Amino acid sequence: NTIFKLAHNLPGFSLVPEGCLEHLGADVGIAGEGEVAFPALVAAISLAGGRVPPDLRGKVLRSPPGVDPDLMPPAWDAFDVRRYYEEGSGGAVQTRRGCALPCTYCSYPLLEGRRVRSRSAAAVAGEVRRLRDEHGVDHITFADSVFNVPERHAMAVAEAMAGLDPPVKWTAYFHPVFADPAFFRLMRDSGCEGIDMGADSLSDAVLRGMRKGFDPSQAVAFSDGCRTAGIRLNVSLLFGAPGETGATVSETVACVERCDPDAVTAGIGVRLYPGAEMTEGLIASGHVERAEVGIDPLYYLADEVRGSIAGTLSETADRDRRWIIPGLDKNWNPRLFSRLRKHGRRGPIWHLAGG
């Protein structure tokens, strides 16, 4: 019998591999993309009679980003996809790996690299078709860090999705930098029923500090494009980044009003990931000790809003039920969402919260 404990290439492990390996008491771990490294590890264990070879025991095997995602489609047949889907967790498809955006806090470049490796649009649509035909999935989430960068690839995928009959509805995260009406019409006609704008802030000063690559006016124009095309919109926000003040919080709340989305999901504090630019900057400035950044979640919250942000956002959510703030239990009802899932409601949580 093969007996060993493997800590595998889930994102959390890949970000803090040594700490996770020790915490889990695993025999061996894989950090990074596992499609090539995992079969190689299994082969090595098989050759060793079903045991982890001594030279690998206690080691983290690192697999740098570089897998061609077209050559490694998910083995959906190995999962009970229908059960996952019925309980709200199925139907996630990647159209590419890698993220070239320079956001200072994000873990995606650490996990997938900055070089974008796009799947062919035909391969993406083919995977969605198989999920629909073989597993009954009629709503999927594109699990890319950002779906519409590069724009040309997003349009090619949308055109391929538009050719599916019957159609499959989908949602994704978008970067608010393109506002061409034809682009939004294509997204709608391809089955896009919801866009999650990963804004994080709508204050110009905070956006510059986080190197988000857009300004509030672009976010408003992007929102207008969604509304004109009839695509539902959620704005995702993170409050408390370096440079956040009471004034920048007010700027973000006011800009949300101009965007007029269907929902807003807001978090308080920014998670610090090992190796991220924001984390390294806070360590260098003495705000954070390197030893603090590990498997236990550590969040940064600007001193200027530490005593006020919860009250400000709570009042905002009380005035406007579109604001969903899980950390404050504002307009957030997991039991209701679970019941809606069991009755066939699909899509992201903000779809359910918004009715």
Side-chain angles (χ1 to χ4, degrees), residues 2-329:
T2 300
I3 302 173
F4 66 97
K5 293 181 180 180
L6 169 68
H8 55 91
N9 61 308
L10 292 172
F13 180 85
S14 295
L15 289 169
V16 198
E18 286 80 11
C20 287
L21 190 75
E22 180 181 359
H23 179 76
L24 296 170
D27 296 310
V28 64
I30 297 173
E33 298 179 334
E35 288 91 344
V36 174
F38 180 68
L41 174 61
V42 171
I45 290 170
S46 179
L47 288 173
R51 303 279 180 173
V52 176
D55 61 326
L56 297 182
R57 187 172 295 277
K59 298 290 182 63
V60 172
L61 309 181
R62 298 184 181 276
S63 180
V67 169
D68 182 346
D70 255 350
L71 300 179
M72 299 291 177
W76 289 111
D77 291 342
F79 298 90
D80 186 351
V81 175
R82 188 175 295 273
R83 178 184 174 188
Y84 274 87
Y85 185 56
E86 290 175 351
E87 296 186 11
S89 298
V93 174
Q94 274 192 316
T95 79
R96 61 168 181 77
R97 291 188 188 174
C99 187
L101 296 177
C103 310
T104 60
Y105 69 92
C106 190
S107 63
Y108 273 105
L110 304 173
L111 294 167
E112 300 181 359
R114 293 197 178 276
R115 183 174 68 86
V116 175
R117 292 161 286 145
S118 299
R119 299 177 65 187
S120 70
V124 173
E127 182 181 342
V128 173
R129 183 184 296 108
R130 288 192 298 275
L131 284 169
R132 180 197 65 194
D133 295 347
E134 298 173 16
H135 303 285
V137 174
D138 60 6
H139 186 291
I140 63 114
T141 298
F142 284 124
D144 306 339
S145 57
V146 177
F147 176 77
N148 63 324
V149 180
E151 182 184 16
R152 181 179 300 179
H153 176 64
M155 296 180 72
V157 170
E159 289 168 353
M161 289 288 292
L164 296 179
D165 186 19
V168 175
K169 299 295 184 182
W170 60 273
T171 57
Y173 277 97
F174 280 64
H175 193 55
V177 291
F178 308 118
D180 181 356
F183 175 83
F184 291 104
R185 289 194 297 270
L186 174 59
M187 298 301 113
R188 177 198 63 203
D189 295 344
S190 72
C192 179
E193 65 171 8
I195 283 176
D196 198 325
M197 184 204 299
D200 299 328
S201 175
L202 289 173
S203 161
D204 197 44
V206 176
L207 289 170
R208 288 197 306 270
M210 297 176 81
R211 298 214 292 159
K212 291 293 294 182
F214 68 91
D215 61 43
S217 66
Q218 289 175 290
V220 173
F222 185 89
S223 304
D224 291 344
C226 290
R227 187 164 45 254
T228 301
I231 301 174
R232 298 180 70 184
L233 174 68
N234 176 67
V235 176
S236 289
L237 300 170
L238 293 174
F239 288 94
E244 190 85 272
T245 65
T248 63
V249 171
S250 296
E251 290 168 9
T252 292
V253 173
C255 190
V256 167
E257 291 299 313
R258 295 198 298 276
C259 290
D260 192 23
D262 296 277
V264 185
T265 53
I268 298 175
V270 182
R271 175 75 185 270
L272 299 182
Y273 296 107
E277 180 182 335
M278 180 182 291
T279 304
E280 294 302 315
L282 290 169
I283 291 172
S285 63
H287 287 85
V288 174
E289 296 291 334
R290 188 173 298 279
E292 296 180 271
V293 185
I295 62 174
D296 293 323
L298 180 67
Y299 292 83
Y300 178 84
L301 183 59
D303 289 339
E304 291 83 353
V305 297
R306 187 177 298 274
S308 62
I309 188 64
T312 299
L313 295 185
S314 182
E315 292 173 5
T316 302
D318 287 340
R319 289 196 311 269
D320 187 344
R321 292 190 61 80
R322 294 177 299 174
W323 282 72
I324 304 165
I325 311 177
L328 300 177
D329 281 331

